[in-house]
Amino acid sequence: MITQKVKKIKKMPIYWKILSKKFLINILFFTVFFVALTIFFKVSRLTKYFVSGIDLKELFLLLGIFLYRCFPFAFSITCLISAYIGVSSLKKNNEIKAFSSLGLSPQKLFSPLIILSIFLTICNLSISFVLSPYINKKLNSALDEKKQHMELLPSFSRRFNRDNLFLNIDTEKGSNKGSNFLLINTKKALSWMIADYIVEEKDGVYFSHPSTFVIASEKDGNDTIMYSHNDSIFFPKSAIFSLFPKSILRIDPIDYSGTEKFSIIVYSLHPILFTLYGILLGLGIWPLLSAVFLLYTFVTFTITTVLLWPTITYLSLLSFALIIPLYFFNLRAYKRGIR
């Protein structure tokens, strides 16, 4: 069995070996560099999650989210760079002319790059529709489980002293009770809540004699004051976390609409598009025209990376419609130049 595989590898055309090796090595190098740089800057933002008590499992899942959002972009950009380096190297060493003298057309010569970019496109689709929902689901399951076992009183008392949110609870060490509860929120409208004491149970928190004040500004310049008082209120943990949305890491579940799925599919096809641009720039037949088309594609690609707008998706489809004739016209012009 191994001998048969070795024989198959030996039958691989020489141009496949040369182009695929250069292309994949450059893809690997630039992707690892790009991803490592992204992680470096992301890790600095993760410090706030350590303050919130994030554990290693959640950290790795969170990094996984950063990575699956990063890889489709990285694959596309590295395809452009790798294809350009590979083709320009062949052109500089006159290897394209050497292969043409052996009867190998440029269309066939560059086919390994396009086939490998199709493989990277399949990887993009797998990341977007298989890996990313899996990681997202795992992280949300871990966070939901953590909410059920989380001690709210000591957690809240050390996390919420911010500019627009202040919370005070006098708690005793190892106790599930607190007194002198005070919550002030100034984010949208001035509001505060006070309670004599609170008791944390397994499913939530009891507030004894809570009073709530809300001061809302009206358009006519007058303020509306709302006041409520109760003997006791029980808040389940789900309601407590909704009151304090930053009390724990939150990741929105993935639920793509039909339009978003279409946009993601088009976005995932960009490794093919950028590989073709890399080949054109490496050949240098019409560099100015290719650069203008590439700039248009890169702008739409960057906007799509930030926002999956349907309009931008259609503009990205226009990029594919432009690159195909440009690619074949370039190869025909280059082939004529060789002859």
Side-chain angles (χ1 to χ4, degrees):
M1 192 71 177
I2 296 176
T3 306
Q4 292 177 352
K5 289 183 178 180
V6 172
K7 288 182 179 179
K8 288 181 180 179
I9 293 175
K10 288 183 178 180
K11 291 180 181 179
M12 180 184 291
I14 186 66
Y15 71 93
W16 255 95
K17 291 181 181 180
I18 295 174
L19 282 173
S20 61
K21 182 179 179 181
K22 291 182 178 180
F23 186 70
L24 291 177
I25 289 176
N26 287 325
I27 287 284
L28 178 62
F29 173 78
F30 288 111
T31 301
V32 170
F33 174 77
F34 186 84
V35 171
L37 192 65
T38 302
I39 291 178
F40 174 78
F41 286 106
K42 289 294 184 182
V43 165
S44 62
R45 296 176 56 187
L46 293 178
T47 53
K48 63 180 181 180
Y49 298 125
F50 284 109
V51 177
S52 299
I54 189 172
D55 56 33
L56 287 177
K57 180 181 178 181
E58 295 167 11
L59 174 62
F60 284 125
L61 290 172
L62 191 62
L63 284 175
I65 289 179
F66 289 146
L67 289 178
Y68 76 61
R69 291 175 177 173
C70 171
F71 267 116
F73 183 87
F75 280 153
S76 300
I77 299 302
T78 54
C79 278
L80 171 67
I81 299 172
S82 302
Y84 172 77
I85 292 175
V87 173
S88 60
S89 177
L90 290 178
K91 182 182 177 183
K92 182 179 179 181
N93 298 326
N94 292 321
E95 292 177 88
I96 301 179
K97 292 183 179 180
F99 282 117
S100 297
S101 64
L102 297 175
L104 191 66
S105 64
Q107 288 90 336
K108 190 174 182 180
L109 176 61
F110 300 136
S111 60
L113 303 182
I114 299 174
I115 293 173
L116 290 173
S117 67
I118 293 174
F119 173 76
L120 292 175
T121 295
I122 295 173
C123 290
N124 272 351
L125 292 171
S126 301
I127 290 172
S128 298
F129 293 105
V130 179
L131 182 62
S132 60
Y134 174 79
I135 295 177
N136 184 280
K137 184 178 180 180
K138 283 290 185 181
L139 181 56
N140 276 309
S141 297
L143 295 176
D144 289 339
E145 183 179 355
K146 186 174 183 178
K147 287 179 182 180
Q148 300 303 319
H149 300 90
M150 189 173 179
E151 294 182 359
L152 299 180
L153 298 191
S155 175
F156 288 162
S157 61
R158 71 171 181 265
R159 293 185 195 174
F160 289 103
N161 295 331
R162 298 194 177 97
D163 293 338
N164 58 357
L165 188 61
F166 174 82
L167 186 141
N168 176 75
I169 308 173
D170 294 333
T171 58
E172 297 180 4
K173 188 174 182 180
S175 173
N176 64 341
K177 298 180 180 180
S179 58
N180 299 323
F181 175 83
L182 171 63
L183 171 66
I184 302 175
N185 191 346
T186 61
K187 188 172 183 179
K188 293 182 179 179
L190 176 61
S191 64
W192 64 92
M193 178 180 178
I194 58 176
D196 292 342
Y197 66 90
I198 60 178
V199 180
E200 180 177 349
E201 301 288 344
K202 181 179 179 181
D203 299 326
V205 178
Y206 282 100
F207 291 80
S208 175
H209 296 99
S211 298
T212 304
F213 301 83
V214 179
I215 301 178
S217 299
E218 301 293 340
K219 293 182 179 180
D220 57 5
N222 297 320
D223 293 334
T224 300
I225 301 177
M226 293 174 283
Y227 167 76
S228 65
H229 177 80
N230 296 277
D231 291 334
S232 64
I233 296 178
F234 176 77
F235 281 102
K237 285 192 176 182
S238 58
I240 292 291
F241 282 108
S242 66
L243 290 175
F244 306 107
K246 294 184 179 180
S247 62
I248 196 169
L249 178 64
R250 281 176 171 265
I251 302 295
D252 293 330
I254 293 178
D255 185 19
Y256 297 131
S257 64
T259 304
E260 288 174 335
K261 288 180 180 178
F262 176 71
S263 299
I264 292 172
I265 291 173
V266 174
Y267 183 79
S268 300
L269 295 175
H270 275 81
I272 303 173
L273 192 61
F274 280 111
T275 298
L276 295 177
Y277 276 118
I279 294 172
L280 297 183
L281 293 175
L283 290 175
I285 300 298
W286 299 319
L288 182 59
L289 182 62
S290 299
V292 171
F293 278 34
L294 174 60
L295 179 61
Y296 167 80
T297 303
F298 186 78
V299 169
T300 57
F301 175 69
T302 304
I303 296 175
T304 308
T305 303
V306 180
L307 295 171
L308 287 174
W309 284 347
T311 305
I312 300 299
T313 301
Y314 294 129
L315 293 177
S316 297
L317 286 176
L318 179 61
S319 299
F320 285 91
L322 294 173
I323 189 60
I324 293 174
L326 180 65
Y327 177 73
F328 286 107
F329 286 146
N330 265 268
L331 293 189
R332 180 180 294 181
Y334 190 80
K335 192 173 181 180
R336 288 177 180 174
I338 294 176
R339 292 177 180 177

